[in-house]
Amino acid sequence: MTLDFRNKRIGDILIEAGVLKAEDIPFIVDRQQATSVRFGEICIRDGLAKEEDIARALAVEYCYEYVDLAGFRMDESLLNELPPDAVFRYQFIPMEATDSALVIAIADPTDVIRLDELERLIDRPLVIRITTPSYIEAVLKRGEGTSRVLREVSEDFMLQLVKETEKGEEVLSVEQISADISPVIKLVNSTIMDALTKRTSDIHIEAAQEGVIIKYRIDGVLYKATEPIDLHFQGPIISRLKVMSELDISERRIPQDGRFKLRIGEKSIDFRVSIMPSAFGEDAVIRILDKETIANNLKGLTLESLGISEREIGRIRRMTHEPYGMVLVTGPTGSGKTTTLYAALSEIHTGEEKIITIEDPVEYLLRGIVQIPVNEKKGLTFARGLRSILRHDPDKIMVGEIRDPETAQIAVQSALTGHLVFTTVHANNVFDVLGRFIHMGIDPYNFVSCLNCVMAQRLVRRICHHCRRPVEVPDEVLLESAIDPERCRGVTLYEARGCNECNNTGYRGRSAIVELLDLNDELRELIIAKSPAAQLKKAAREAGTVFLRESAVEKLLAGETTIKEINRVTFIE
């Protein structure tokens, strides 16, 4: 492949374009010689130029056309003509195929060896276009590339057979896995890569009568990732996960929990694995803890970024800025409890106070805060860790979850003795929490004395704004959902359709709904007197509590979600 070089260099082109000044060039060249980093990378890193400026300059320097790939989606039929992993290995975007060549977009036109390799691999000439690395990454994430790799690997699995012993039993050993597992490793890796591109929170690998089924949990709902894989491969897939998680590969009769870490590009991602025996073998669930993506999506971890209403944010902030007491968040697994506490801690962290957390696991890192992971195998439980934290001179403490009476007792004592304690517990609503603690043997008077507030939380899926469409909802449907039709007069309600942007689900992302019980003297007295739930609810409503169902209806009326979604997440009262 021959490249047509111009006499002008990238620095001159950027000066002519008004991006750089002539006096910037010596500074950049000095940095380039000292660090061996490319000219354009230094410009971007030091804020002298944008990524797009550099890409346009490279296009001029090497006589190629620049393309803006914002919103571009790869043609699946064109993608199917290429080797499955080529676009990821060579980091290019196939744009169109002509009779004689393939038009591709790349970010680095100087890597001639790589381009020659690609040309030989696809066995046709290339027509080069220049774009930015960010555009390439975004298009690959939006595209079907990883899904196709996963589908092709899965199809291979349906054609292969597992060797069996004379007794007809499958041999599962570390040696066999090491010798025969390359397709299994490929399947597991492809599944993880595909899940990451689809914003998956959990990967479910289930053994059923029709075969092994892989599902992704996206925005709280499960979707099938592939067609069923031959059941013969259930054992090797689970064994591969056990090897990765350092679990007992020979034990198949009891549940096992482990974790592993993968480096993908420059990111390090943690995975938590749960193995459970079932009727057809063993099932696995992999929880993805992508700390960097979570932090980026949360735009700096604020309560606003979680979608909590302005009314509740003001009340939460008042509680989290108290000097001592307990802030308790409740809800089922995956309802965003820990993320809400992270957001609250990030907002109150000024560097003037010592904040320590104990978690299982540390889901993502908060700068300037001491975070301790629970390690039950080594004897570091929540209770033992919490005792040690109290000797570490903390001002504010976060306990990832209260699971047992000992942890509950220490947390309450900490709140009573001048610490501000943030914690979570599994319960359905703010009133069930009170019963949970009393059932753990906590003195009701001490508990309500230390309690600043209890917040119950759920996550509703946000409707995709690219494909949503207005819908007329009949009054009888609204009444069935306990919504007054008069509230919907003049309000546009939407239904989810599905498009490429939301993986045809109709929803993209989730938003928090909360009910916040602000403990005042009247409520404390009613709790100590063990008053009926109806009386507690009435007093809570008068004190300003808006219950979960009402919070969900507010999201519906604001055009953020659908009736189907709020009925899925909250009870119709």
Side-chain angles (χ1 to χ4, degrees):
M1 175 179 296
T2 58
L3 296 176
D4 182 11
F5 290 91
R6 274 195 165 193
N7 293 327
K8 285 187 180 177
R9 306 187 69 171
I10 188 169
D12 300 323
I13 297 165
L14 289 167
I15 291 171
E16 282 187 13
V19 176
L20 295 181
K21 296 175 184 175
E23 54 266 31
D24 293 329
I25 302 298
F27 166 77
I28 297 169
V29 171
D30 287 345
R31 294 286 296 273
Q32 192 179 7
Q33 291 172 347
T35 61
S36 299
V37 176
R38 291 183 175 192
F39 188 96
E41 289 176 26
I42 293 170
C43 293
I44 295 167
R45 192 176 62 190
D46 292 350
L48 298 170
K50 295 177 183 174
E51 203 177 44
E52 188 178 330
D53 297 327
I54 301 301
R56 286 182 183 278
L58 285 170
V60 172
E61 184 178 7
Y62 292 100
C63 298
Y64 290 133
E65 182 185 330
Y66 172 81
V67 287
D68 184 333
L69 295 183
F72 180 84
R73 294 193 73 86
M74 289 186 283
D75 181 350
E76 195 170 344
S77 60
L78 178 58
L79 201 58
N80 287 335
E81 296 175 15
L82 304 173
D85 59 347
V87 291
F88 293 97
R89 192 154 28 115
Y90 291 95
Q91 288 293 297
F92 73 95
I93 302 299
M95 297 188 68
E96 61 175 311
T98 66
D99 293 337
S100 57
L102 177 68
V103 181
I104 67 168
I106 59 169
D108 182 9
T110 65
D111 196 346
V112 184
I113 295 173
R114 197 178 184 84
L115 290 170
D116 279 342
E117 277 182 20
L118 177 59
E119 203 167 54
R120 284 196 299 273
L121 178 69
I122 63 175
D123 195 25
R124 61 200 303 183
L126 298 176
V127 176
I128 305 296
R129 303 278 187 267
I130 304 297
T131 191
T132 68
S134 297
Y135 278 145
I136 290 177
E137 185 182 354
V139 173
L140 290 178
K141 280 186 177 179
R142 279 198 301 269
E144 287 290 307
T146 50
S147 299
R148 190 163 64 90
V149 173
L150 180 57
R151 283 198 301 271
E152 293 200 6
V153 173
S154 304
E155 286 166 8
D156 291 344
F157 268 56
M158 292 170 197
L159 301 173
Q160 294 173 355
L161 294 173
V162 173
K163 293 180 182 177
E164 295 181 340
T165 63
E166 293 175 1
K167 296 179 182 178
E169 296 173 346
E170 194 173 320
V171 177
L172 288 178
S173 66
V174 177
E175 290 77 20
Q176 185 206 0
I177 289 165
S178 300
D180 303 335
I181 210 61
S182 56
V184 175
I185 293 173
K186 192 174 180 184
L187 176 71
V188 171
N189 291 349
S190 301
T191 302
I192 291 170
M193 284 293 294
D194 186 42
L196 288 169
T197 62
K198 287 185 165 64
R199 303 176 300 107
T200 303
S201 61
D202 302 82
I203 303 169
H204 290 240
I205 299 171
E206 301 173 356
Q209 194 162 4
E210 62 267 35
V212 180
I213 300 167
I214 299 174
K215 297 177 182 175
Y216 297 154
R217 187 177 293 280
I218 302 171
D219 293 334
V221 178
L222 284 173
Y223 298 94
K224 237 183 215 185
T226 64
E227 292 302 310
I229 297 167
D230 194 308
L231 198 56
H232 283 99
F233 291 97
Q234 177 265 343
I237 291 168
I238 298 297
S239 296
R240 170 61 184 163
L241 290 173
K242 286 180 180 178
V243 169
M244 293 170 75
S245 310
E246 298 182 349
L247 299 176
D248 185 353
I249 200 169
S250 63
E251 181 56 75
R252 291 182 287 177
R253 294 161 297 177
I254 60 171
Q256 294 189 68
D257 296 306
R259 60 193 65 191
F260 63 90
K261 185 180 286 190
L262 290 179
R263 179 166 287 282
I264 298 172
E266 295 183 358
K267 284 203 303 184
S268 183
I269 301 175
D270 292 308
F271 299 84
R272 194 167 59 192
V273 179
S274 174
I275 309 286
M276 185 78 71
S278 71
F280 293 94
E282 288 177 292
D283 289 3
V285 175
I286 307 167
R287 165 66 58 89
I288 299 172
L289 303 169
D290 188 350
K291 300 169 187 170
E292 293 176 35
T293 299
I294 293 169
N296 290 340
N297 290 345
L298 292 177
K299 304 165 194 169
L301 274 174
T302 62
L303 293 169
E304 283 88 356
S305 67
L306 305 180
I308 298 172
S309 69
E310 284 295 328
R311 177 191 63 246
E312 302 297 2
I313 285 175
R315 299 176 71 212
I316 294 167
R317 282 190 175 135
R318 183 164 55 82
M319 294 295 108
T320 57
H321 284 78
E322 296 285 349
Y324 54 85
M326 182 182 283
V327 174
L328 195 55
V329 183
T330 184
T333 303
S335 60
K337 302 185 296 293
T338 307
T339 305
T340 298
L341 290 184
Y342 276 144
L345 286 175
S346 295
E347 290 193 0
I348 64 173
H349 179 50
T350 61
E352 296 176 355
E353 295 178 309
K354 181 89 164 185
I355 301 177
I356 306 179
T357 77
I358 180 161
E359 307 166 58
D360 184 22
V362 174
E363 292 193 15
Y364 48 98
L365 303 173
L366 298 173
R367 186 171 295 173
I369 292 175
V370 178
Q371 295 175 271
I372 302 166
V374 164
N375 189 338
E376 293 192 359
K377 288 181 182 176
K378 301 290 184 181
L380 178 55
T381 60
F382 274 114
R384 188 170 178 182
L386 189 48
R387 277 203 199 89
S388 299
I389 286 171
L390 292 171
R391 295 192 290 269
H392 214 69
D393 189 28
D395 296 291
K396 295 177 172 61
I397 301 166
M398 183 183 119
V399 183
E401 184 186 340
I402 289 181
R403 299 173 179 169
D404 56 82
E406 189 180 4
T407 309
Q409 192 72 50
I410 302 167
V412 168
Q413 289 299 323
S414 304
L416 287 169
T417 53
H419 300 94
L420 184 60
V421 179
F422 297 81
T423 189
T424 75
V425 67
H426 284 130
N428 286 327
N429 56 52
V430 291
F431 301 109
D432 287 353
V433 171
L434 310 173
R436 283 291 305 276
F437 272 79
I438 291 164
H439 181 69
M440 286 184 192
I442 304 299
D443 178 63
Y445 180 80
N446 283 343
F447 179 54
V448 297
S449 297
C450 78
L451 200 55
N452 293 354
C453 67
V454 184
M455 185 169 75
Q457 179 170 316
R458 298 289 188 280
L459 296 174
V460 293
R461 290 183 293 171
R462 287 191 176 108
I463 194 166
C464 175
H465 284 264
H466 291 91
C467 62
R468 69 178 185 178
R469 67 177 178 190
V471 62
E472 290 289 334
V473 181
D475 287 358
E476 53 268 26
V477 174
L478 293 170
L479 290 169
E480 283 174 10
S481 299
I483 300 169
D484 183 0
E486 291 304 316
R487 294 184 66 185
C488 301
R489 303 286 183 249
V491 174
T492 305
L493 300 181
Y494 295 93
E495 68 177 359
R497 294 188 66 187
C499 65
N500 288 330
E501 291 294 328
C502 59
N503 288 321
N504 293 310
T505 64
Y507 300 91
R508 186 171 179 83
R510 289 187 287 177
S511 181
I513 56 170
V514 301
E515 66 180 32
L516 183 64
L517 183 66
D518 183 352
L519 270 287
N520 57 26
D521 290 340
E522 182 190 356
L523 278 164
R524 286 189 172 98
E525 287 171 11
L526 288 171
I527 293 165
I528 292 168
K530 297 183 179 177
S531 301
Q535 196 174 347
L536 285 171
K537 281 189 176 182
K538 183 183 175 186
R541 190 175 280 111
E542 289 170 357
T545 298
V546 175
F547 295 107
L548 281 171
R549 180 66 180 182
E550 179 57 28
S551 293
V553 171
E554 287 175 359
K555 296 277 185 193
L556 171 70
L557 297 178
E560 293 183 30
T561 190
T562 62
I563 287 182
K564 181 181 176 184
E565 179 64 8
I566 69 168
N567 288 343
R568 182 183 72 86
V569 173
T570 60
F571 278 113
I572 299 170
E573 295 177 354

